[in-house]
Amino acid sequence: MPHLQSQSLLIKLQQQLQAADLWSDTPPSPKAMASNAPFACDSMPFEHWLQFIFIPKMTQLIEHKQPLPTNMAIAPMGHHVWQSMPDKKPLIMLLDEFDHLLSTSQQ
């Protein structure tokens, strides 16, 4: 069940990023993608990390029915990055929902 719910949340996340005009047609450079920093914060904006790292990785886990991460905490980064932008609240709420789902689900 967490896989189906996660897949639904990924679709909503993509839609929210697009609606907020945070979806990019240009991927980050290979160097930026190779970042080891949390959320690749040293090489790309958080929304790019969501689009180019988080969504593809989660999609791959779901498609291959692999275990999903537990005790995930991506919403705090969303709160930090978008705290002064009320129009980003739907994105933050969606990240909160994702964290809650994967932190409380039994896989």
Side-chain angles (χ1 to χ4, degrees):
M1 190 63 120
H3 284 77
L4 289 176
Q5 291 171 308
S6 294
Q7 187 174 29
S8 175
L9 288 175
L10 286 176
I11 292 166
K12 289 179 184 177
L13 179 57
Q14 179 175 340
Q15 292 169 340
Q16 285 290 331
L17 287 167
Q18 290 169 332
D21 202 25
L22 295 175
W23 195 258
S24 177
D25 293 330
T26 307
S29 71
K31 181 179 178 181
M33 293 291 286
S35 170
N36 289 323
F39 307 107
C41 64
D42 62 339
S43 63
M44 68 181 77
F46 180 56
E47 58 268 16
H48 286 188
W49 179 84
L50 289 169
Q51 177 182 351
F52 294 104
I53 296 176
F54 178 71
I55 292 174
K57 179 64 175 170
M58 288 296 294
T59 300
Q60 181 181 28
L61 293 175
I62 291 165
E63 287 176 355
H64 292 85
K65 304 220 184 312
Q66 295 177 329
L68 300 177
T70 56
N71 297 322
M72 193 168 77
I74 58 174
M77 185 65 168
H79 284 275
H80 173 73
V81 170
W82 297 317
Q83 65 185 343
S84 63
M85 302 174 196
D87 61 317
K88 305 299 186 281
K89 187 170 182 165
L91 269 169
I92 295 169
M93 291 173 51
L94 191 57
L95 296 177
D96 281 328
E97 191 176 345
F98 227 130
D99 285 355
H100 180 73
L101 171 68
L102 295 181
S103 296
T104 60
S105 65
Q106 299 296 317
Q107 298 183 33

